[in-house]
Amino acid sequence: MRYSIFGESHGPAIGVVLEGVPAALELDLEQVQAELCRRAPGKDPTATARKEADRVHVLSGVFEGKTTGAPLCMVIQNTDQHSTDYEALRWTPRPSHGDYAGFIASQGALDFRGGGHFSGRLTAPLVAAGAVAKQILAQRDIWVGSHISAIYGVLDRAMDDPEELKSVAGKAFPVLDDAKGEEMRQAILEAKAEEDSVGGAIECAVMGVPAGFGAPDFGRNVEGIFSQYLFAVPAVKAVCFGAGVGFSYMRGSEANDPFEVTEGGVGTKTNNAGGVNGGITNGMPLVFEVTLRPTPSIALPQESFDLRTGEEAEIEIAGRHDPCIVPRAVPVIEAAAALAACEVLGI
Amino acid sequence: MRYSIFGESHGPAIGVVLEGVPAALELDLEQVQAELCRRAPGKDPTATARKEADRVHVLSGVFEGKTTGAPLCMVIQNTDQHSTDYEALRWTPRPSHGDYAGFIASQGALDFRGGGHFSGRLTAPLVAAGAVAKQILAQRDIWVGSHISAIYGVLDRAMDDPEELKSVAGKAFPVLDDAKGEEMRQAILEAKAEEDSVGGAIECAVMGVPAGFGAPDFGRNVEGIFSQYLFAVPAVKAVCFGAGVGFSYMRGSEANDPFEVTEGGVGTKTNNAGGVNGGITNGMPLVFEVTLRPTPSIALPQESFDLRTGEEAEIEIAGRHDPCIVPRAVPVIEAAAALAACEVLGI
Amino acid sequence: MRYSIFGESHGPAIGVVLEGVPAALELDLEQVQAELCRRAPGKDPTATARKEADRVHVLSGVFEGKTTGAPLCMVIQNTDQHSTDYEALRWTPRPSHGDYAGFIASQGALDFRGGGHFSGRLTAPLVAAGAVAKQILAQRDIWVGSHISAIYGVLDRAMDDPEELKSVAGKAFPVLDDAKGEEMRQAILEAKAEEDSVGGAIECAVMGVPAGFGAPDFGRNVEGIFSQYLFAVPAVKAVCFGAGVGFSYMRGSEANDPFEVTEGGVGTKTNNAGGVNGGITNGMPLVFEVTLRPTPSIALPQESFDLRTGEEAEIEIAGRHDPCIVPRAVPVIEAAAALAACEVLGI
Amino acid sequence: MRYSIFGESHGPAIGVVLEGVPAALELDLEQVQAELCRRAPGKDPTATARKEADRVHVLSGVFEGKTTGAPLCMVIQNTDQHSTDYEALRWTPRPSHGDYAGFIASQGALDFRGGGHFSGRLTAPLVAAGAVAKQILAQRDIWVGSHISAIYGVLDRAMDDPEELKSVAGKAFPVLDDAKGEEMRQAILEAKAEEDSVGGAIECAVMGVPAGFGAPDFGRNVEGIFSQYLFAVPAVKAVCFGAGVGFSYMRGSEANDPFEVTEGGVGTKTNNAGGVNGGITNGMPLVFEVTLRPTPSIALPQESFDLRTGEEAEIEIAGRHDPCIVPRAVPVIEAAAALAACEVLGI
């Protein structure tokens, strides 16, 4: 399976083509729509005021409710656009956005309106593609869950067991410990009040992947496959498996996961490896954490320059922006993980 | 350019095929050999006592000292092998090694001797391939440097400027602050004395990559490309760009890199982004850190089980193992980074 | 550059996503439309009576008239559909169509209406993608031309020089010798009158590709790249470069192309190799011929069977079908060739 | 599965790396060697006098006789080399060889000795890889057979049933009709006597591939996949499926393959489609024919030029060359077909 996302924030439509979808899957479009709703803004005061009526239209690949195996194209029309908000910034790239790098890469032909193809809005088709992947995985009793693990230094409590994530999925603010969630929301609202933004992290688990998928080699190892999908999500700057950066504080005797054989099969007592040894799944849940940078769009004045003259210029970004994209990124990370899991499984 | 690494720790030879090498490059084989020496054990008491006389033989792709553009195959013979050390562990997988996952993946046909294809020894051909990549990059004034940034909680001092890494390259223990390096070495020796191992981290920079390479899309974004190469290095469990996991403690106003225009061109005052915005290079050094887990091979007794009977079994791993692979992994990470940089540049 | 075509004959729309389009190309949409018109039916009495108002809509990847380098999505709405024509054939696959093979591949979930994703209609987005490729090639003074070389045994005269193809491009029935073209049209009309169809061939040339592109290796050799694009055109069953099947009647002394050095550079006196030696372009025009099978949809009664019961069944195909698809396939083959040339050139 | 062939005719060794080999296959190395013997020269007076003692060495990927799933590297040492034969031609490219195109592609750094990486000798590792593929296919009751279908205009009799190819496999000169084979050999010997060469064709069949593999789309259609493998064989200039170029002389009523349902399952009475409809296997044997150009190396004087001065130069090619490579190409085409079949089957 292979996905191609297309579209720009202020173009006529955004969408995705999924090639290699298994045939004869009863596609539940309501579930696709439900995933898009999880990502939609406006459900929590911490999110942007933009209203994104993301309704997905299937253009191809489905017949009489089932996937045909032909490329599956899903499209979302663009509607709520305020292009004028952006015109002012055409020649003054926003710090830490893709504006400048994109301007160079496009040889000046960048669609700058609303971030163009770099917009976080492009994660909507990714969520739609991931929703299809989740349904394919569900047929094999594999599911993907996640929680917000950190925002601006406020950490959710540690996860005892990935099974806990099932209860988190339906929450408006998906954390294990709601008190911690409330602290996180306060941190976001404070940043918003100060015209600033905050970063955070999401911990994700893929449950039910059998042992033996992947390989140590380039292009086939599980961590490498997942990371390629995860870094394709805008704002992701770190991908950590299992104990992750914590390994550099550990000894082998702590880090190693002792085997245990139970009725359910071979497992390990701990899961510091995050379900992967030697690039291959070991049957334990695949667990990883991604860090997302603070939204670069802040209202505070910032230092930029004029792309035409090279002269310094101070900018202030108008428009409606999420002071923290982490809450809305939760279904996006799950979508990327679901697509990665399909690749690992050879789907 | 695309590489395929082949071989097993105790097979006749290991090697690599590099396809798509630019033609007419004057290949400096001494430099390839020099990179292999940086990776070789035995140069520091913290490393394994195994002696690896890794001499590379070019089988193809070079004629009269120049690359021809045809696939470049480099082979290293295997010599110093103690297969009997491993026979005892054939049916009792070592915790947190690839043994069990690999046993399942290979349907039982795993070459278990010395870790087989999963052995850290397979990083030798990777270093050789990376040495070729470095020479290609050097023609474009791009170079790759790195330092050990952490071992068992001992952190090297923060890097002021990636240019500093030039002075680190020649050190036997490559750190910025040699006093910290000495602490790290002590931590390794203590672990070794206690039949244990320790993890750590390497910070790496690629200097000289112009702005405008990459794309936000899956398969083409810079972080995604680098991470795929980096996670293909055994023991790497986390890949963090720029401020990395630190972003989840930051506000946008701290995290954003203000632009500055100097005689050298457009840059940013800070480099929290690690040289990448929107998946595209922005002209600043590409900076990232990888975390490597502690060597899973420790002499302390560990809990395993018998692959044939499923019964619990305690194991003790004999043989000679690095109590910390981080020092030897430095040129390996640089090799992976050099190959990744070539892909980003469309080489 | 990479294309993904999606859609079904009787779905809401068909389209294509082109990834890796060079940025800052002034895209001439009129020319894209003009290529689609070359492919449209109804311009000649030998073609089907279906009217395909193929108007292309750009959904993404173009801003202010220029390509941005982001994925370029073009969509064509479906309008003129007679699904009822096909319902009768749902369970009785048409001989030599994709119906049966597609039924198995889709596990029964085949969109059978109008051929679904197998429909010749899906060549419209291919032509649109090829029109973009042609504009990219034109910037490098590379152009693609072709003529109908055979229909039902009537052969066009031999091409003296690929430059001749420039004058053929505008013809309603693109042949070098119009008298031969008239014979071909008669052959088509006779087949049509007898409720039958005929096959034929198209010879195509790509002019202006410099020497030195490609490689002998799998995945990189010029003939292999072109053939993959050409066989993706429905009905193509043979791809022959240069003297093609004629080589099996030749001696080396006839087949070899003697070199000649002129003011224009190094060339060969003949071009039996079709511009490729050892999988690499030699600077001569790339010349190849493809054979297209007769349209399998004929009104004559044919032997089929019932997919549900396995019982024999005679079918008669209603609906409007081209008695020969070769004339309409001319711009399709050129489109495939243009996309292949881009890959060969590393675009 | 993916193969990378490396090596040059006069380098130390040639070889192949096969990635993605299914694990736990009992690899029969004698059979690999037997395929190499089928390709070896010297078994028939029509072949070159060079002696190629092609003994394959497995460097990796096999343990205790079974494939491990890790990359499988096979190497063949080079021994019988007469580099001096070639020195004379260093600056005067041989017509219709890869010399000139390769010189440009390599920016002058071409290994010209014995054709270097372009040598027909590089088909030996391809045969070895194909021999592994054949063993994988045999586990699924799929086999590949072929016969010489034409040499210099002498045609073998038409194949009634691909099953006939089983009896051809063991022949020194593999044709269906030995009398025709004798005529072909005479044609070769005459050409040899006149210091010339001849071209020909090979018809190949893959038996036992079930219906439903492949897709109409680019990169996934069966003809496209096969053609990419087949054109990677040096000297192949045409690939024709089923009735091939004959389709341009046919009507739909002749070309269409009527269905028939027998005890063995669904099939067709004829197999003009060569086992593929809509890019998908239909369960019938995959049948295709490839045309191979006459060996460009002939002893007759030919027109070339000096790469350094651009001046015309007449050349005479010394050395030992096959006056017709078709007989030795038979196992090579089968190897390419076997590898292609694996890709089609998703192996």
Side-chain angles (χ1 to χ4, degrees):
Chain A
M1 208 155 68
R2 192 188 168 285
Y3 79 88
S4 305
I5 282 176
F6 58 85
E8 284 85 30
S9 183
H10 291 214
I14 57 179
V16 63
V17 177
L18 260 178
E19 293 178 277
V21 180
L25 171 77
E26 294 265 9
L27 188 65
D28 183 343
L29 273 172
E30 286 313 301
Q31 203 182 320
V32 175
Q33 202 61 52
E35 288 288 328
L36 283 168
C37 286
R38 287 179 70 201
R39 182 205 155 275
K43 54 181 208 293
D44 192 282
T46 63
T48 168
R50 275 199 319 276
K51 240 184 108 179
E52 300 183 32
D54 290 338
R55 190 138 283 275
V56 74
H57 297 278
V58 174
L59 289 193
S60 67
V62 178
F63 179 58
E64 297 182 343
K66 286 184 184 168
T67 58
T68 64
L72 171 58
C73 180
M74 294 182 283
V75 165
I76 298 165
Q77 299 299 316
N78 284 332
T79 47
D80 179 40
Q81 302 159 347
H82 291 226
S83 292
T84 46
D85 287 351
Y86 294 93
E87 188 69 41
L89 298 172
R90 175 159 197 173
W91 305 109
T92 46
R94 296 166 295 172
S96 293
H97 256 288
D99 297 358
Y100 169 66
F103 183 84
I104 301 297
S106 69
Q107 298 173 51
L110 187 72
D111 182 352
F112 62 91
R113 299 164 306 158
H117 185 61
F118 295 77
S119 168
R121 179 153 173 71
L122 271 292
T123 57
L126 178 55
V127 166
V132 176
K134 281 184 174 182
Q135 294 182 36
I136 295 164
L137 295 173
Q139 292 186 312
R140 306 185 180 208
D141 290 320
I142 296 170
W143 64 270
V144 182
S146 60
H147 70 116
I148 300 173
S149 50
I151 282 178
Y152 197 46
V154 182
L155 308 186
D156 195 10
R157 75 163 166 79
M159 186 168 72
D160 293 323
D161 186 324
E163 291 289 332
E164 290 186 282
L165 297 176
K166 281 185 175 159
S167 64
V168 167
K171 292 187 182 180
F173 199 91
V175 284
L176 295 168
D177 180 337
D178 292 332
K180 289 292 177 186
E182 195 48 45
E183 281 184 54
M184 291 177 186
R185 293 179 70 230
Q186 286 308 318
I188 297 172
L189 291 171
E190 279 169 34
K192 187 182 184 180
E194 296 170 29
E195 306 198 314
D196 212 336
S197 66
V198 288
I202 294 167
E203 188 180 40
C204 183
V206 184
M207 306 285 292
V209 178
F213 288 91
D217 307 293
F218 175 78
R220 298 175 66 205
N221 75 90
V222 173
E223 291 109 329
I225 290 170
F226 268 80
S227 67
Q228 205 180 11
Y229 284 85
L230 294 165
F231 277 121
V233 176
V236 169
K237 296 299 280 188
V239 172
C240 306
F241 281 82
V245 295
F247 278 120
S248 79
Y249 297 80
M250 291 167 93
R251 282 198 167 180
S253 53
E254 300 165 77
N256 286 0
D257 299 307
F259 284 106
E260 66 176 351
V261 184
T262 65
E263 282 180 18
V266 175
T268 56
K269 290 183 180 171
T270 52
N271 189 14
N272 290 317
V276 189
N277 296 128
I280 303 178
T281 59
N282 65 12
M284 293 295 285
L286 302 179
V287 180
F288 53 88
E289 190 176 37
V290 299
T291 306
L292 295 102
R293 53 164 302 134
T295 323
S297 289
I298 55 175
L300 289 171
Q302 296 186 88
E303 294 168 57
S304 180
F305 71 104
D306 191 300
L307 285 164
R308 295 160 299 188
T309 64
E311 279 170 26
E312 289 185 10
E314 195 180 85
I315 62 163
E316 292 182 39
I317 303 174
R320 301 147 299 167
H321 300 283
D322 289 295
C324 181
I325 55 162
V326 177
R328 293 181 60 200
V330 167
V332 182
I333 295 301
E334 291 180 14
L339 290 161
C342 286
E343 180 170 335
V344 164
L345 290 160
I347 296 169
Chain B
M1 207 153 70
R2 192 187 167 286
Y3 78 87
S4 304
I5 283 175
F6 58 85
E8 285 84 32
S9 182
H10 292 214
I14 57 177
V16 63
V17 177
L18 260 179
E19 291 178 278
V21 180
L25 172 77
E26 293 266 10
L27 189 65
D28 183 344
L29 273 171
E30 285 313 300
Q31 203 182 320
V32 175
Q33 202 60 53
E35 289 288 326
L36 283 168
C37 287
R38 288 178 68 200
R39 182 204 156 275
K43 54 180 208 291
D44 192 282
T46 63
T48 169
R50 276 200 318 276
K51 242 184 105 177
E52 299 184 32
D54 290 336
R55 191 137 282 274
V56 73
H57 296 278
V58 175
L59 288 193
S60 65
V62 178
F63 180 59
E64 298 182 342
K66 287 184 184 169
T67 58
T68 64
L72 171 58
C73 181
M74 294 182 285
V75 165
I76 298 165
Q77 300 300 315
N78 284 332
T79 48
D80 179 41
Q81 302 160 347
H82 292 225
S83 292
T84 46
D85 286 351
Y86 295 93
E87 188 69 40
L89 297 172
R90 174 159 196 172
W91 304 109
T92 45
R94 295 164 296 172
S96 293
H97 256 287
D99 298 358
Y100 169 66
F103 183 84
I104 301 297
S106 69
Q107 297 174 52
L110 187 71
D111 181 352
F112 63 90
R113 301 164 304 159
H117 185 61
F118 295 78
S119 168
R121 179 154 173 72
L122 271 292
T123 58
L126 178 55
V127 166
V132 176
K134 281 184 174 182
Q135 294 182 37
I136 295 164
L137 295 173
Q139 292 186 312
R140 306 185 180 209
D141 291 320
I142 296 171
W143 64 271
V144 182
S146 60
H147 69 117
I148 300 173
S149 50
I151 282 178
Y152 196 46
V154 181
L155 308 187
D156 195 10
R157 75 161 166 80
M159 185 169 72
D160 293 323
D161 185 323
E163 291 289 332
E164 289 187 283
L165 298 175
K166 281 185 174 158
S167 63
V168 167
K171 293 186 183 180
F173 199 90
V175 284
L176 295 168
D177 181 337
D178 292 333
K180 289 292 176 186
E182 196 48 44
E183 282 184 54
M184 292 176 186
R185 292 178 71 229
Q186 285 308 317
I188 298 172
L189 291 171
E190 279 169 36
K192 188 181 183 181
E194 295 170 30
E195 305 198 315
D196 211 335
S197 64
V198 287
I202 293 167
E203 187 180 41
C204 183
V206 184
M207 306 284 294
V209 178
F213 287 91
D217 307 293
F218 175 78
R220 297 175 68 205
N221 75 89
V222 173
E223 290 109 330
I225 289 170
F226 267 80
S227 66
Q228 207 181 8
Y229 284 84
L230 294 165
F231 278 120
V233 176
V236 169
K237 296 299 279 188
V239 172
C240 306
F241 281 83
V245 294
F247 278 121
S248 81
Y249 295 81
M250 290 167 94
R251 281 198 167 180
S253 53
E254 299 165 77
N256 286 359
D257 299 308
F259 283 107
E260 67 176 349
V261 184
T262 65
E263 281 180 19
V266 174
T268 56
K269 290 182 181 173
T270 52
N271 188 14
N272 289 317
V276 189
N277 296 127
I280 303 177
T281 59
N282 66 12
M284 293 295 287
L286 303 179
V287 180
F288 52 88
E289 191 176 37
V290 299
T291 306
L292 294 102
R293 54 165 301 133
T295 322
S297 289
I298 55 177
L300 290 171
Q302 296 186 88
E303 294 168 57
S304 180
F305 70 103
D306 191 300
L307 285 163
R308 295 159 298 187
T309 64
E311 277 170 27
E312 288 185 12
E314 195 180 85
I315 62 164
E316 291 181 39
I317 302 173
R320 302 147 299 168
H321 300 283
D322 289 294
C324 181
I325 54 160
V326 177
R328 290 182 61 199
V330 167
V332 182
I333 295 300
E334 291 180 16
L339 290 161
C342 285
E343 179 170 335
V344 164
L345 291 160
I347 296 169
Chain C
M1 207 153 69
R2 191 187 168 285
Y3 79 86
S4 304
I5 283 174
F6 59 84
E8 284 85 29
S9 182
H10 291 214
I14 57 178
V16 63
V17 177
L18 260 178
E19 292 179 276
V21 180
L25 171 78
E26 293 265 10
L27 189 65
D28 184 343
L29 273 172
E30 285 314 300
Q31 203 183 318
V32 174
Q33 202 60 52
E35 289 288 327
L36 283 167
C37 286
R38 288 179 71 200
R39 182 204 155 274
K43 55 181 207 295
D44 192 283
T46 62
T48 168
R50 277 201 318 276
K51 240 184 107 178
E52 299 184 32
D54 290 338
R55 190 137 283 276
V56 74
H57 297 278
V58 174
L59 288 193
S60 67
V62 178
F63 180 58
E64 297 182 343
K66 287 184 184 168
T67 57
T68 65
L72 172 58
C73 181
M74 294 182 283
V75 165
I76 297 165
Q77 300 299 315
N78 283 331
T79 48
D80 179 41
Q81 303 161 345
H82 292 224
S83 291
T84 46
D85 286 351
Y86 295 93
E87 188 69 39
L89 298 171
R90 175 158 197 173
W91 304 109
T92 45
R94 295 165 295 172
S96 294
H97 257 288
D99 297 359
Y100 169 65
F103 183 84
I104 301 297
S106 70
Q107 297 174 51
L110 186 71
D111 182 352
F112 62 91
R113 301 164 305 159
H117 185 60
F118 295 77
S119 168
R121 179 154 172 72
L122 270 292
T123 57
L126 177 55
V127 166
V132 176
K134 281 184 174 183
Q135 294 183 37
I136 295 164
L137 295 173
Q139 293 186 311
R140 305 184 180 210
D141 290 321
I142 296 170
W143 63 270
V144 182
S146 60
H147 70 118
I148 301 172
S149 50
I151 282 178
Y152 196 46
V154 181
L155 308 186
D156 194 10
R157 74 163 167 81
M159 184 169 73
D160 294 323
D161 185 325
E163 291 289 332
E164 289 187 283
L165 298 176
K166 281 185 174 159
S167 64
V168 167
K171 292 187 183 181
F173 199 91
V175 284
L176 295 167
D177 181 338
D178 293 332
K180 288 292 179 186
E182 196 48 44
E183 281 184 55
M184 291 176 186
R185 294 179 69 229
Q186 286 308 316
I188 298 172
L189 291 171
E190 278 169 35
K192 186 181 184 180
E194 295 171 30
E195 305 198 316
D196 212 335
S197 66
V198 287
I202 293 167
E203 187 180 40
C204 183
V206 184
M207 306 284 293
V209 178
F213 288 91
D217 307 294
F218 175 77
R220 296 175 67 206
N221 75 90
V222 173
E223 290 110 331
I225 290 170
F226 268 79
S227 67
Q228 206 181 9
Y229 285 84
L230 294 166
F231 278 120
V233 176
V236 169
K237 296 298 279 188
V239 172
C240 306
F241 282 82
V245 295
F247 278 120
S248 81
Y249 295 82
M250 290 167 94
R251 283 199 166 179
S253 53
E254 299 165 77
N256 285 0
D257 299 307
F259 282 107
E260 68 176 350
V261 184
T262 65
E263 282 180 17
V266 174
T268 56
K269 290 182 181 173
T270 52
N271 188 15
N272 289 317
V276 189
N277 296 127
I280 302 178
T281 58
N282 65 12
M284 293 295 287
L286 302 178
V287 180
F288 51 89
E289 191 176 37
V290 299
T291 306
L292 295 102
R293 54 164 301 132
T295 322
S297 288
I298 56 176
L300 290 170
Q302 296 185 90
E303 294 168 58
S304 181
F305 71 103
D306 192 298
L307 284 164
R308 296 160 298 188
T309 63
E311 278 170 28
E312 288 184 12
E314 195 180 83
I315 62 164
E316 291 181 39
I317 302 173
R320 301 148 299 167
H321 300 283
D322 289 295
C324 180
I325 54 161
V326 178
R328 291 182 60 198
V330 167
V332 182
I333 294 302
E334 292 180 14
L339 289 160
C342 285
E343 180 170 334
V344 165
L345 290 160
I347 296 170
Chain D
M1 207 154 69
R2 190 187 169 286
Y3 79 86
S4 304
I5 283 175
F6 58 85
E8 284 85 31
S9 182
H10 292 213
I14 57 178
V16 64
V17 178
L18 259 178
E19 292 179 276
V21 180
L25 171 77
E26 293 266 9
L27 188 65
D28 183 343
L29 273 171
E30 285 314 300
Q31 202 182 318
V32 175
Q33 202 61 52
E35 288 288 327
L36 283 168
C37 286
R38 287 179 71 202
R39 182 204 155 275
K43 55 180 207 297
D44 193 281
T46 63
T48 168
R50 276 200 318 278
K51 239 183 107 178
E52 300 183 31
D54 290 337
R55 190 138 283 277
V56 73
H57 297 278
V58 175
L59 289 194
S60 67
V62 178
F63 180 59
E64 297 182 343
K66 287 185 184 168
T67 58
T68 64
L72 171 57
C73 180
M74 294 182 284
V75 166
I76 299 164
Q77 300 299 315
N78 283 332
T79 48
D80 179 40
Q81 302 159 347
H82 292 226
S83 292
T84 46
D85 286 351
Y86 295 93
E87 187 70 39
L89 297 172
R90 174 159 198 174
W91 304 109
T92 45
R94 294 165 296 172
S96 293
H97 257 287
D99 298 358
Y100 169 66
F103 184 84
I104 301 296
S106 69
Q107 298 174 50
L110 186 72
D111 181 352
F112 62 92
R113 299 164 306 158
H117 185 61
F118 295 77
S119 167
R121 179 154 172 72
L122 271 292
T123 57
L126 178 55
V127 166
V132 176
K134 281 184 175 184
Q135 294 182 37
I136 296 164
L137 295 173
Q139 292 186 313
R140 306 184 180 209
D141 290 320
I142 296 171
W143 63 270
V144 181
S146 60
H147 69 117
I148 301 172
S149 50
I151 282 178
Y152 196 45
V154 181
L155 309 186
D156 194 10
R157 75 161 166 80
M159 184 169 74
D160 293 324
D161 186 323
E163 291 288 333
E164 289 187 283
L165 298 176
K166 281 184 174 159
S167 64
V168 167
K171 292 187 184 181
F173 199 91
V175 285
L176 296 168
D177 181 338
D178 293 333
K180 289 293 177 186
E182 196 48 45
E183 280 183 54
M184 291 176 187
R185 292 179 70 230
Q186 285 308 317
I188 297 171
L189 291 171
E190 278 168 36
K192 187 181 183 180
E194 295 171 29
E195 307 199 312
D196 212 336
S197 65
V198 288
I202 293 166
E203 188 181 40
C204 182
V206 185
M207 305 284 293
V209 178
F213 288 91
D217 307 294
F218 175 79
R220 298 175 65 206
N221 75 90
V222 174
E223 290 110 330
I225 290 170
F226 268 79
S227 66
Q228 207 181 8
Y229 285 85
L230 294 165
F231 278 120
V233 177
V236 169
K237 297 298 280 188
V239 172
C240 306
F241 281 83
V245 295
F247 278 121
S248 79
Y249 296 81
M250 291 167 93
R251 283 199 166 179
S253 54
E254 300 164 77
N256 286 359
D257 298 308
F259 283 107
E260 66 176 353
V261 183
T262 65
E263 280 180 20
V266 175
T268 56
K269 291 183 180 172
T270 52
N271 188 14
N272 290 317
V276 189
N277 295 127
I280 303 177
T281 58
N282 66 11
M284 293 294 287
L286 301 179
V287 180
F288 52 88
E289 190 177 37
V290 299
T291 306
L292 294 103
R293 54 164 301 133
T295 321
S297 289
I298 55 176
L300 290 172
Q302 296 186 89
E303 295 168 57
S304 180
F305 71 103
D306 192 298
L307 284 164
R308 295 161 297 188
T309 64
E311 278 170 28
E312 288 185 12
E314 196 179 84
I315 62 164
E316 292 182 39
I317 303 174
R320 302 147 298 167
H321 300 283
D322 288 295
C324 182
I325 55 162
V326 177
R328 292 181 59 199
V330 167
V332 182
I333 295 300
E334 291 180 15
L339 289 160
C342 286
E343 179 170 335
V344 164
L345 290 159
I347 296 167

